[in-house]
Amino acid sequence: MIYDDLYRYTGKKTFFFLVRYILFTPGYRYIFFLRKCQQLTNRLVRVFYLIFLRLCMLRTGIQIPYQTKIDAGFRIVHFGTIVINPGAKIGKNFNIANGVTIGSASGKTIGVPTIGNNVYVSANAVIVGDVKIGDDVLIAPNAFVNSDLPDGSIAIGNPCKIIRREKASEKY
């Protein structure tokens, strides 16, 4: 999975790019430590990576617990103040920008989000509650999502307005 995530950044799966992106790309560095914490079964080695994950969290503002289920192809487009609830389930090829919150809610939509494959969440978007985000979805900057989004749609605004992708070019 580490190399699948690297491929989303570089288009290559080489050891040279792995080292380069761990050293010089804060978003990928966080993903690397997150994946290591998820994969390791040896408790002593996991503690070592958990310490690095915590230090990386403090430096970047990214708060994604290692218990979060995120499939292969995860990419942090711009690092900084990203919060994801550990109960969230996220599919393949997920892109996330800075300022995004994916969290739980109480009331009518109590629970945490489930996000499909090939989803892009733009800057400062908020996704809360027991909502289902379909495949091939774009969530626009500053959108507030607290309802389900069908496959191939775009969510814009607060509260979110759903636009089918076929009609998106006609309106905007």
Side-chain angles (χ1 to χ4, degrees), residues 86-101:
K89 294 177 185 75
I90 299 171
K92 293 181 180 182
N93 299 328
F94 179 67
N95 292 304
I96 190 168
N98 57 313
V100 172
T101 300

Side-chain angles (χ1 to χ4, degrees), residues 75-152:
R75 181 171 183 236
I76 297 174
V77 180
H78 299 288
F79 75 93
T81 320
I82 295 171
V83 179
I84 299 179
N85 187 291
K89 294 177 185 75
I90 299 171
K92 293 181 180 182
N93 299 328
F94 179 67
N95 292 304
I96 190 168
N98 57 313
V100 172
T101 300
I102 300 173
S104 62
S106 56
K108 278 199 275 184
T109 60
I110 189 167
V112 293
T114 302
I115 299 173
N117 300 324
N118 304 316
V119 174
Y120 188 98
V121 181
S122 299
N124 300 316
V126 176
I127 305 170
V128 293
D130 184 23
V131 296
K132 309 284 184 278
I133 309 296
D135 296 338
D136 303 311
V137 171
L138 171 67
I139 299 174
N142 298 313
F144 178 76
V145 179
N146 63 349
S147 61
D148 293 348
L149 297 176
D151 293 348

Side-chain angles (χ1 to χ4, degrees), residues 37-50:
C37 290
Q38 290 173 341
Q39 293 172 350
L40 294 171
T41 56
N42 184 330
R43 287 184 179 210
L44 185 60
V45 177
R46 182 184 281 177
V47 168
F48 172 76
Y49 280 105
L50 281 171

Side-chain angles (χ1 to χ4, degrees), residues 18-90:
L18 178 69
V19 172
R20 179 178 165 197
Y21 273 74
I22 289 170
L23 292 176
F24 300 113
T25 307
Y28 185 76
R29 183 180 314 130
Y30 192 91
I31 291 171
F32 176 79
F33 291 128
L34 176 77
R35 296 295 192 195
K36 282 298 198 181
C37 290
Q38 290 173 341
Q39 293 172 350
L40 294 171
T41 56
N42 184 330
R43 287 184 179 210
L44 185 60
V45 177
R46 182 184 281 177
V47 168
F48 172 76
Y49 280 105
L50 281 171
I51 291 169
F52 278 107
L53 184 67
R54 183 71 174 175
L55 290 172
C56 197
M57 181 196 80
L58 294 172
R59 293 186 86 187
T60 62
I62 300 170
Q63 297 179 34
I64 306 171
Y66 75 94
Q67 298 93 339
T68 308
K69 292 175 178 56
I70 302 174
D71 217 336
F74 179 41
R75 181 171 183 236
I76 297 174
V77 180
H78 299 288
F79 75 93
T81 320
I82 295 171
V83 179
I84 299 179
N85 187 291
K89 294 177 185 75
I90 299 171

Side-chain angles (χ1 to χ4, degrees), residues 1-15 17-18 21 28 31 72-75 93 95:
M1 273 223 244
I2 290 172
Y3 280 101
D4 290 335
D5 296 333
L6 179 67
Y7 186 79
R8 294 294 312 286
Y9 279 85
T10 65
K12 298 178 182 171
K13 295 182 180 182
T14 65
F15 182 74
F17 279 107
L18 178 69
Y21 273 74
Y28 185 76
I31 291 171
F74 179 41
R75 181 171 183 236
N93 299 328
N95 292 304

Side-chain angles (χ1 to χ4, degrees), residues 160-172:
C160 75
K161 184 166 103 176
I162 300 168
I163 300 172
R164 298 272 180 196
R165 202 158 290 206
E166 301 86 38
K167 297 181 181 179
S169 61
E170 294 173 10
K171 291 190 174 188
Y172 298 97

